[in-house]
Amino acid sequence: VTTTKFDNVYYRNLVNNSGILGSDQALMTDNRTSGMVLNYSKFPYLFAKDFGASMVKLSTVGVITGQNGQIRNKCNVVN
């Protein structure tokens, strides 16, 4: 575990059969995702690049602006 940086150790743990949750470890046994796990475990820059791209993409999903949205005072309570 690395606590001071964001890296690809999660994927390296899955390759070493050291995933914390069974649902995480299942990524290694599924043919649809095991290749991604292997690539992200071997190539940390690929993981960082793809993660960054996914955050940019996620930031544009369902953004509500103007009178249609709100900034909540508490995340779990509608103002």
Side-chain angles (χ1 to χ4, degrees):
V1 176
T2 53
T3 59
T4 59
K5 64 181 183 173
F6 185 65
D7 57 21
N8 68 334
V9 169
Y10 170 82
Y11 295 101
R12 294 192 333 236
N13 287 341
L14 294 180
V15 170
N16 293 325
N17 202 31
S18 299
I20 294 175
L21 300 175
S23 57
D24 292 340
Q25 195 59 53
L27 294 171
M28 237 350 256
T29 60
D30 190 316
N31 291 335
R32 296 170 294 179
T33 54
S34 61
M36 292 171 61
V37 171
L38 288 170
N39 282 332
Y40 289 156
S41 72
K42 293 178 186 176
F43 307 110
Y45 292 105
L46 175 64
F47 164 69
K49 179 183 79 67
D50 286 354
F51 182 82
S54 70
M55 288 293 101
V56 169
K57 185 176 180 181
L58 183 61
S59 73
T60 64
V61 174
V63 175
I64 301 173
T65 60
Q67 296 300 317
N68 296 321
Q70 63 177 252
I71 298 173
R72 294 185 179 187
N73 297 320
K74 292 185 180 181
C75 295
N76 61 341
V77 178
V78 176
N79 295 339

